[in-house]
Amino acid sequence: MHRGELDAFRAEVRDWLAANLTDELREAAARATSVFVDRPHVLAWQAILNRKGWVAPHWPREYGGTGWDEEQRHIFASECAAAGAPSLSPMGLRMVAPCIMRFGTPEQKAHYLPRLLSGEDYWCQGYSEPQSGSDLASLSMRADVDGDDYVLNGSKMWTTHAHYANRMFCLVRTNRDGRPQQGISFLLLDMASPGIEVRPILSLSDDHDFNEVFFDDVRVPRTNLLGEEDQGWGVAKYLLEFERTAAYAAGLAASLDRLLVSAAAREGGQGGGLLDDRAIRARFARLYTDVQAIHAAEQRMMATIAKGRSPGPASSMLKVQGTETQQHIQELALEIAGPYAAVHQPAARVTGSNIDPVGLEDDLTASARYFNGRAASIYGGSNEIQRNIMAKLMLGL
């Protein structure tokens, strides 16, 4: 598309967001302390996007996507972030959906993909186990064949939004012979299945995002296998490439813009404004430069995906860039909030709350986002693991 068409498209998106993004949805996004906004507001926003046909910009048109090119997708993500729209849950639309498109049977695609678009299915990820975190290949949760079913026994750990989800994509061990990566299968299961128990894990930020999930003789039809039996490691690696290529730049730029506005409203230590401090200005400049570098990396990645190729090990680079820049922004936000960040006021940050915050509105979430954001360089494969991948597969070390 030429520049005039892209400008017209941006104006269309901006006008549509102004007309359809409610104040309540903006507030829910502003007060979220992680990438996961609370489920009711996520599904409300997803329903609005789905009616417009804009819920899955990165999907192929044949499955219900928009057919946009990478420039249009970037414009859409940037405008959504700037408008303060809630982020949609990535587990279904961005992670399991590409796997279903690539490895699923025609019946699985016909069943699951429309339900992913509508939000009828809300997914969680059953990967980590108490003794298998970054060393995911060591997972031990059993799936034994019994007639037409697998029978699952074991547990999963750090399962985000398992208390909301009605579906889980899950890695299980179907064969104990050979290398750890062998004998793993990828299952799609119903969270209402008898024998599943979900127990909450409250984070240091006092949020309930994570859970333990226990499986006691849970029966899953063998038709719910995605890909081939014992070959789930390949499906999992494909999914992780998409998890690690999450779009960071638009959200980071919007967060940095809001933080700059917040900083401009504060007094500095020498009687002037906070932004009179050269060290603070230098940190903002460095972070804006980092975000631009991430944007360039994402553009290259999207061009690769648009040509029908998987992002490969370059996704590890983007994951490291994106999560560590996110943490640096959160660190700066905590420092800018100062003592107000230490005030624990969870009731005030509930969407629709009539409790006045102590400090500025931005201070409500500063410490919770900081603590929650510490996990960003761990989940999806720790950043130390990502550096090993880059060293081996990109640098040949």
Side-chain angles (χ1 to χ4, degrees):
M1 301 181 71
H2 60 68
R3 179 53 50 193
E5 291 175 316
L6 290 173
D7 289 343
F9 176 74
R10 184 184 295 275
E12 178 191 0
V13 172
R14 189 174 295 175
D15 291 346
W16 185 85
L17 288 169
N20 290 275
L21 183 59
T22 66
D23 290 340
E24 181 178 354
L25 290 172
R26 285 191 176 92
E27 182 182 1
R31 297 189 175 187
T33 56
S34 75
V35 296
F36 291 88
V37 181
D38 62 277
R39 183 173 180 264
H41 291 101
V42 165
L43 293 183
W45 180 230
Q46 183 166 338
I48 293 170
L49 288 168
N50 193 39
R51 287 195 292 271
K52 180 65 173 175
W54 287 357
V55 74
H58 49 287
W59 284 25
R61 191 188 297 273
E62 64 184 290
Y63 294 123
T66 58
W68 293 341
D69 61 26
E70 58 268 21
E71 289 184 289
Q72 289 173 296
R73 289 194 293 270
H74 173 71
I75 287 172
F76 180 72
S78 299
E79 291 300 323
C80 284
S87 57
L88 300 182
S89 174
M91 298 295 189
L93 291 166
R94 294 196 65 91
M95 293 166 63
V96 77
C99 293
I100 292 173
M101 292 174 195
R102 176 163 178 173
F103 298 98
T105 64
E107 292 77 15
Q108 288 171 333
K109 294 176 185 178
H111 176 75
Y112 289 112
L113 295 179
R115 296 165 65 94
L116 277 160
L117 289 173
S118 67
E120 186 175 355
D121 283 343
Y122 191 88
W123 290 80
C124 62
Q125 179 188 49
Y127 271 27
S128 295
E129 297 181 7
Q131 303 301 321
S132 301
S134 292
D135 183 17
L136 186 58
S138 67
L139 67 90
S140 60
M141 186 168 127
R142 290 167 33 216
D144 299 313
V145 174
D146 183 15
D148 293 332
D149 295 335
Y150 292 105
V151 180
L152 276 55
N153 284 281
S155 65
K156 294 295 179 180
M157 192 79 166
W158 310 115
T159 311
T160 305
H161 278 200
H163 55 305
Y164 290 140
N166 67 320
R167 298 282 178 184
M168 173 189 281
F169 54 93
C170 186
L171 291 180
V172 296
R173 188 159 296 282
T174 46
N175 193 321
R176 293 161 187 80
D177 298 327
R179 297 171 60 246
Q181 290 85 352
Q182 297 171 335
I184 293 174
S185 296
F186 194 108
L187 294 182
L188 311 175
L189 59 90
D190 186 342
M191 289 293 287
S193 303
I196 295 179
E197 180 186 0
V198 178
R199 298 180 190 172
I201 300 173
L202 297 182
S203 67
L204 189 61
S205 60
D206 201 30
D207 291 319
H208 179 195
D209 283 337
F210 308 118
N211 304 272
E212 288 183 281
V213 185
F214 296 88
F215 298 79
D216 184 8
D217 287 338
V218 176
R219 303 188 75 89
V220 177
R222 295 179 70 182
T223 53
N224 285 28
L225 176 70
L226 189 67
E228 298 181 23
E229 188 172 277
D230 297 342
Q231 301 301 313
W233 189 249
V235 182
K237 288 198 300 181
Y238 183 74
L239 183 148
L240 281 170
E241 290 177 4
F242 287 91
E243 180 178 2
R244 292 166 186 161
T245 53
Y248 292 100
L252 292 174
S255 295
L256 202 50
D257 288 344
R258 286 192 288 269
L259 184 57
L260 185 63
V261 171
S262 178
R266 300 174 192 264
E267 294 182 359
Q270 304 298 323
L274 184 61
L275 289 182
D276 291 333
D277 187 325
R278 295 176 61 184
I280 293 292
R281 294 202 309 272
R283 290 179 68 180
F284 271 105
R286 172 62 185 270
L287 286 169
Y288 273 111
T289 301
D290 291 343
V291 171
Q292 288 299 312
I294 292 169
H295 176 218
E298 287 180 354
Q299 292 292 89
R300 292 196 300 270
M301 197 77 67
M302 290 303 103
T304 298
I305 294 172
K307 294 176 182 177
R309 302 198 301 265
S310 65
S315 62
S316 295
M317 178 186 70
L318 185 56
K319 198 266 182 179
V320 171
Q321 286 181 291
T323 56
E324 294 186 359
T325 300
Q326 172 187 316
Q327 290 174 341
H328 294 154
I329 292 174
Q330 291 163 343
E331 290 165 5
L332 181 57
L334 195 70
E335 293 180 29
I336 287 174
Y340 294 111
V343 182
H344 187 56
Q345 40 188 339
R349 70 174 196 243
V350 174
T351 304
S353 172
N354 60 0
I355 300 174
D356 292 331
V358 177
L360 299 181
E361 176 78 15
D362 295 332
D363 300 337
L364 277 173
T365 57
S367 62
R369 284 181 174 168
Y370 171 83
F371 287 124
N372 197 300
R374 298 307 92 191
S377 52
I378 300 173
Y379 59 62
S382 71
N383 284 12
E384 289 79 7
I385 296 294
Q386 305 315 311
R387 286 184 166 90
N388 285 345
I389 292 172
M390 288 186 282
K392 180 179 180 181
L393 298 181
M394 299 178 74
L395 302 178
L397 300 178

